[in-house]
Amino acid sequence: MKLENPSPIEWKFSHRAEQLQSSAIREILKITMRPEVISFAGGLPSPETFPVDRMRAAFDSVLTRSGKVALQYGPTDGYAPLREFIAESLSTDGAKILPDQVMMVSGSQQGLDLLGKVLIDEGSKVLVETPSYLGALQAFSVYQPKFESVEMDDHGLVPSSVAAKGAGARLLYALPNFQNPTGRTLSVERRYELVDICARLGIPLVEDNPYGDLCYTGEPLPKMLTMNPGGVIYMGSFSKVLTPGIRLGYVVGPTTLIRKLEQAKQATDLHTSQLTQMVVHEVIKDGFLNEHIPTIRDLYSKQCAAMLEALGKYFPEGVTWTRPEGGMFIWVTLPKHIDANQLLAQAIEQNVAFVPGGPFYANEAETNTLRLSFVTVPPAKINEGVEKLGKLIKAKL
Amino acid sequence: MKLENPSPIEWKFSHRAEQLQSSAIREILKITMRPEVISFAGGLPSPETFPVDRMRAAFDSVLTRSGKVALQYGPTDGYAPLREFIAESLSTDGAKILPDQVMMVSGSQQGLDLLGKVLIDEGSKVLVETPSYLGALQAFSVYQPKFESVEMDDHGLVPSSVAAKGAGARLLYALPNFQNPTGRTLSVERRYELVDICARLGIPLVEDNPYGDLCYTGEPLPKMLTMNPGGVIYMGSFSKVLTPGIRLGYVVGPTTLIRKLEQAKQATDLHTSQLTQMVVHEVIKDGFLNEHIPTIRDLYSKQCAAMLEALGKYFPEGVTWTRPEGGMFIWVTLPKHIDANQLLAQAIEQNVAFVPGGPFYANEAETNTLRLSFVTVPPAKINEGVEKLGKLIKAKL
């Protein structure tokens, strides 16, 4: 039986919720799910790289061997053998990382939310790259900080800009490898400079590293975590090297911080799926990623090369773009007078999509920028899509 | 290479984080993991009830059929067929629930966190039962509300107390069925009264219902959601009827609220594991819960009866307890002068554990109360544990 004519609720949302918006990217993704669209918009890894059979075998084995443990509530900081594996894999000769410094999270987006929860008060100064990862801006925004945008160039974050703007900041958020959205990488020299400046100013340095293993040539650059384990908060993810849909990542840092994050996580969702953690441990414990990651690098580097070639062929003078050596993204800068939002509207009419650069800026947006992802589009389609975009841009010159 | 002698970070946590504490229960659980301990402390369902084989078959089937979709990023509001299933199962003749009113979350604890995020400002009035679910108090506390404790008696929340204290509250949090921690159930008459009062005062009524299906006799009581779908926020969970370790729950409410929660969830963890949702849908879509839930009821009702019998046999006059007709908990009230924390210290020495009642109170705690869970302990051990507790209490009279 229902109440007759109840008064409708007039929703009163919290101040933090009033300014929440849906992510521009996810809205664009909805439009571009149609199969006829050539989409450079996604931040999704290629499903071709998912080790489905291996995951299935691991679910079967974990549930057969330890089903009742895997399906029961688990510890808030995560499955111990997986935390041990991660600590071991991050340790270097000079910097030993202990399992107690590792907390598992439900995808590294949750790591960002928890960091915001425990480190940011309303009005706190938070340093971010220019441009920065949209998901981090969203996660932190909820806690109402004052963002300070730090300069970047082709070698990544500019350390002197951190020194100039950093005093009193609650954290610096950096994506040093094949940054989302620009594809840029922070040089090794600057890593040392940055770690040093942050230590001197007492600023926790967040090193978010979802793409670091996806280097097309050579070895991954040294992690800032290993340069100063007492001052760096490292974030890792299985989304780009295994699969994203299972939502599994980790935060590594000094134990004082990790214990506080653990309390926050307990209040937030108790713990991350025990089963998922046991299965991922089962999949990777014997070194599977060492053979698997090279296959992802190989696929992405070919598609990146195809896109760089197409850009050189079809994009007119006056347009510039980054040349990433890993990861998933290329960043394009159009002549100042071209608005990427308007370009997107026209591109979608021609069944091509990308993400305009504006939402990646914490402060003043450069609206003549855009992000292209090449990882889910085969080379022939990359060529076709970039050619169409090139024509649209030329018509605006 | 490591930085030489870097200054250690002096952590500055947010105001909300400074008051975060580890859950008393989870700390006690750590102590009581030893196999020789008879633990009435857990809030964990019995692993005997986990349908491990069925889950394993579903993982196999989903990964075989749609592995690449299941392992990819998914929509923030959840897997559509599962949302449709839930909407359908909650709909009644008078109150149709639409899939758009359902959002999947990573366990209902996350639902509580998201509700806090979008509804609570610092100092907002939040109404809770006396005592209330500890996890809800923790989740909401992060957003720094002012809790107002509403009276309860053996028939659950007292509606007149809500009417007296409710004006201007941002929400009322209620656990109407076999409440955690008391095991009490809100009578049907009071449900109508409560829904009516909340509608008139414009207070969103949160109906948290993890235990409702675990009624030992008869049918579950009508949901407040169906009495006023425009004013009630319903929370459901698969933790107690399927398995908790996978972390899957849902929030149901008016679409204005659900869309705001969706934005908050996007910033919090993007979405809940797509694979988990597809597997749970696979497990339940043909009515499995209709045959499975009665087996859980049967197990728990026998152990509840064993505990009630033991309480009658061993607990002295002056001690009272609730007589739940479902769920997982019995609430014990000791004579005023006995402190349950001191009793716990003595009980642990004798390898018996329970949870003291204090942490379940938002305001003044009644320290002469405690919560007993019977679901993971076989009847003979229940008898033994309650006998030991009874002796300890008698020695304090």
Side-chain angles (χ1 to χ4, degrees):
Chain A
M1 205 178 73
K2 236 170 96 179
L3 211 66
E4 278 183 47
N5 306 319
S7 323
I9 295 269
E10 285 181 35
W11 291 102
K12 186 162 169 52
F13 293 124
S14 62
H15 296 307
R16 82 182 71 77
E18 273 164 16
Q19 41 111 47
L20 267 173
Q21 289 175 345
S22 197
S23 150
I25 292 185
R26 289 184 83 87
E27 294 307 310
I28 292 168
L29 285 179
K30 280 186 192 167
I31 300 169
T32 61
M33 293 284 269
R34 304 195 314 265
E36 66 273 24
V37 174
I38 298 175
S39 178
F40 305 133
L44 290 66
S46 169
E48 282 181 53
T49 67
F50 300 165
V52 176
D53 290 338
R54 201 154 180 121
M55 295 289 289
R56 190 175 54 217
F59 273 105
D60 194 70
S61 147
V62 168
L63 284 169
T64 302
R65 205 176 52 223
S66 352
K68 288 185 178 174
V69 174
L71 296 173
Q72 184 60 287
Y73 284 115
T76 299
D77 58 355
Y79 179 56
L82 183 56
R83 290 194 294 107
E84 285 158 22
F85 183 95
I86 291 166
E88 181 63 32
S89 71
L90 288 172
S91 292
T92 59
D93 288 345
K96 173 94 179 142
I97 305 296
L98 301 172
D100 268 1
Q101 292 174 258
V102 180
M103 187 176 82
M104 303 307 302
V105 287
S106 304
S108 60
Q109 184 74 25
Q110 185 183 47
L112 295 169
D113 176 58
L114 294 175
L115 284 174
K117 220 172 209 175
V118 311
L119 291 175
I120 301 175
D121 282 312
E122 189 175 340
S124 294
K125 189 198 282 189
V126 166
L127 307 178
V128 293
E129 297 170 314
T130 312
S132 183
Y133 169 53
L134 177 56
L137 298 179
Q138 277 192 299
F140 297 154
S141 283
V142 170
Y143 303 102
Q144 301 171 284
K146 198 183 156 305
F147 286 117
E148 189 82 56
S149 293
V150 178
E151 281 167 45
M152 274 184 114
D153 62 22
D154 281 344
H155 306 285
L157 257 181
V158 177
S160 61
S161 178
V162 174
K165 296 179 169 182
R170 288 290 178 89
L171 63 91
L172 162 62
Y173 174 72
L175 245 158
N177 297 308
F178 324 123
Q179 194 227 23
N180 182 355
T182 65
R184 285 174 185 146
T185 292
L186 186 64
S187 69
V188 177
E189 297 69 30
R190 286 198 181 171
R191 289 177 195 228
Y192 283 106
E193 272 185 79
L194 203 59
V195 167
D196 181 51
I197 289 168
C198 286
R200 279 193 286 114
L201 292 176
I203 307 170
L205 168 50
V206 180
E207 179 179 26
D208 191 4
N209 192 27
Y211 311 108
D213 283 322
L214 305 181
C215 47
Y216 303 152
T217 53
E219 288 296 307
L221 295 185
K223 295 177 174 61
M224 294 188 282
L225 174 70
T226 63
M227 299 172 187
N228 183 17
V232 174
I233 304 164
Y234 180 87
M235 301 185 47
S237 168
F238 292 103
S239 292
K240 308 305 185 294
V241 295
L242 211 53
T243 83
I246 53 167
R247 312 306 302 125
L248 191 63
Y250 46 95
V251 183
V252 183
T255 51
T256 309
L257 174 74
I258 295 294
R259 294 288 76 75
K260 189 51 84 177
L261 289 173
E262 185 183 13
Q263 291 173 1
K265 181 163 170 69
Q266 195 175 93
T268 299
D269 67 356
L270 299 183
H271 68 86
T272 293
S273 167
Q274 174 88 335
L275 174 60
T276 300
Q277 295 181 67
M278 289 174 79
V279 164
V280 166
H281 181 252
E282 176 75 15
V283 168
I284 69 174
K285 70 183 159 70
D286 297 321
F288 171 68
L289 290 179
N290 297 334
E291 52 186 89
H292 182 58
I293 288 172
T295 67
I296 307 176
R297 291 175 183 156
D298 192 50
L299 176 73
Y300 290 2
S301 73
K302 284 187 183 129
Q303 289 175 191
C304 181
M307 186 170 272
L308 288 171
E309 194 192 326
L311 288 169
K313 208 154 52 170
Y314 301 118
F315 271 28
E317 212 167 319
V319 180
T320 58
W321 52 89
T322 56
R323 303 185 157 272
E325 293 172 342
M328 298 169 50
F329 304 109
I330 291 173
W331 184 248
V332 176
T333 305
L334 305 167
K336 280 253 184 276
H337 72 280
I338 301 182
D339 183 311
N341 284 298
Q342 288 173 8
L343 184 67
L344 176 64
Q346 295 174 322
I348 284 174
E349 279 174 26
Q350 301 204 17
N351 288 331
V352 181
F354 58 83
V355 179
F360 295 95
Y361 292 86
N363 300 106
E364 291 115 70
E366 294 182 22
T367 54
N368 59 322
T369 56
L370 59 94
R371 189 191 76 178
L372 298 176
S373 167
F374 42 80
V375 303
T376 52
V377 190
K381 287 279 174 191
I382 288 176
N383 191 72
E384 185 187 335
V386 171
E387 184 176 10
K388 284 185 179 173
L389 286 181
K391 280 188 189 150
L392 288 172
I393 296 168
K394 280 178 193 154
K396 288 175 175 291
L397 291 179
Chain B
M1 206 177 74
K2 238 170 98 179
L3 212 65
E4 277 182 49
N5 306 319
S7 325
I9 295 268
E10 284 181 35
W11 292 102
K12 185 163 169 54
F13 294 124
S14 62
H15 296 309
R16 81 182 71 77
E18 273 164 16
Q19 42 111 47
L20 266 172
Q21 291 176 342
S22 196
S23 151
I25 292 184
R26 290 184 82 88
E27 294 307 309
I28 293 168
L29 285 180
K30 281 185 192 167
I31 300 169
T32 61
M33 293 283 269
R34 304 196 313 266
E36 66 272 24
V37 173
I38 298 176
S39 178
F40 304 134
L44 289 67
S46 169
E48 281 181 53
T49 67
F50 300 165
V52 176
D53 291 339
R54 201 155 180 120
M55 295 289 288
R56 189 175 55 215
F59 273 104
D60 195 70
S61 147
V62 167
L63 284 169
T64 302
R65 205 177 53 224
S66 353
K68 289 185 177 172
V69 174
L71 296 173
Q72 185 58 288
Y73 285 115
T76 299
D77 58 355
Y79 179 57
L82 183 56
R83 291 193 293 107
E84 285 158 22
F85 183 95
I86 291 166
E88 181 65 31
S89 71
L90 289 172
S91 292
T92 59
D93 288 345
K96 173 91 179 144
I97 305 296
L98 301 172
D100 268 1
Q101 292 174 258
V102 180
M103 187 175 83
M104 303 308 300
V105 287
S106 304
S108 62
Q109 184 74 24
Q110 186 184 46
L112 295 168
D113 175 59
L114 294 175
L115 284 174
K117 218 172 210 177
V118 311
L119 291 175
I120 302 175
D121 283 311
E122 189 175 341
S124 295
K125 189 199 281 188
V126 166
L127 307 177
V128 293
E129 296 170 314
T130 311
S132 183
Y133 169 53
L134 177 56
L137 297 180
Q138 276 192 298
F140 296 154
S141 282
V142 171
Y143 303 103
Q144 301 171 284
K146 198 183 154 304
F147 287 116
E148 189 82 57
S149 294
V150 178
E151 281 168 45
M152 276 183 112
D153 63 22
D154 282 345
H155 307 285
L157 255 182
V158 177
S160 61
S161 177
V162 174
K165 297 180 169 181
R170 288 291 177 88
L171 63 92
L172 163 62
Y173 173 73
L175 246 159
N177 296 307
F178 323 122
Q179 194 227 23
N180 182 355
T182 64
R184 285 173 185 147
T185 293
L186 186 65
S187 70
V188 177
E189 298 68 31
R190 285 197 180 173
R191 291 177 192 228
Y192 282 106
E193 272 185 78
L194 202 60
V195 167
D196 181 51
I197 289 168
C198 286
R200 281 192 284 113
L201 292 177
I203 307 170
L205 168 49
V206 180
E207 178 180 26
D208 190 5
N209 192 26
Y211 312 107
D213 284 321
L214 304 180
C215 47
Y216 304 151
T217 54
E219 288 297 306
L221 295 184
K223 296 177 173 61
M224 294 189 280
L225 174 70
T226 64
M227 299 172 187
N228 183 18
V232 174
I233 304 163
Y234 180 87
M235 300 186 45
S237 169
F238 291 103
S239 291
K240 308 305 185 296
V241 295
L242 211 52
T243 84
I246 54 169
R247 311 307 301 126
L248 192 62
Y250 45 96
V251 182
V252 182
T255 51
T256 309
L257 173 74
I258 295 294
R259 295 287 75 78
K260 188 52 84 178
L261 289 172
E262 186 183 11
Q263 291 172 2
K265 182 163 168 69
Q266 196 174 92
T268 299
D269 67 355
L270 300 183
H271 67 86
T272 293
S273 167
Q274 175 87 336
L275 175 60
T276 301
Q277 295 181 66
M278 289 174 79
V279 164
V280 166
H281 181 250
E282 176 75 13
V283 168
I284 69 175
K285 69 184 160 68
D286 298 321
F288 170 69
L289 291 179
N290 297 334
E291 52 186 88
H292 181 59
I293 289 173
T295 66
I296 307 176
R297 290 175 184 155
D298 192 49
L299 177 73
Y300 290 3
S301 73
K302 284 188 182 128
Q303 290 175 191
C304 182
M307 185 170 274
L308 288 171
E309 194 191 325
L311 289 169
K313 212 155 47 172
Y314 302 117
F315 271 29
E317 211 167 318
V319 180
T320 59
W321 54 88
T322 56
R323 303 185 157 272
E325 294 172 339
M328 297 169 48
F329 305 109
I330 291 174
W331 184 247
V332 176
T333 305
L334 305 167
K336 279 253 186 273
H337 72 278
I338 301 182
D339 184 311
N341 284 299
Q342 289 173 8
L343 183 66
L344 175 63
Q346 296 174 320
I348 284 176
E349 280 174 25
Q350 303 204 13
N351 289 330
V352 181
F354 58 83
V355 180
F360 295 95
Y361 292 87
N363 300 107
E364 290 115 71
E366 295 182 22
T367 53
N368 59 323
T369 56
L370 59 94
R371 189 191 76 177
L372 298 175
S373 168
F374 42 79
V375 304
T376 51
V377 189
K381 288 279 174 191
I382 289 176
N383 190 72
E384 184 188 334
V386 171
E387 184 176 9
K388 285 185 178 172
L389 286 181
K391 279 187 190 149
L392 289 172
I393 297 168
K394 279 177 194 155
K396 289 176 174 290
L397 289 180

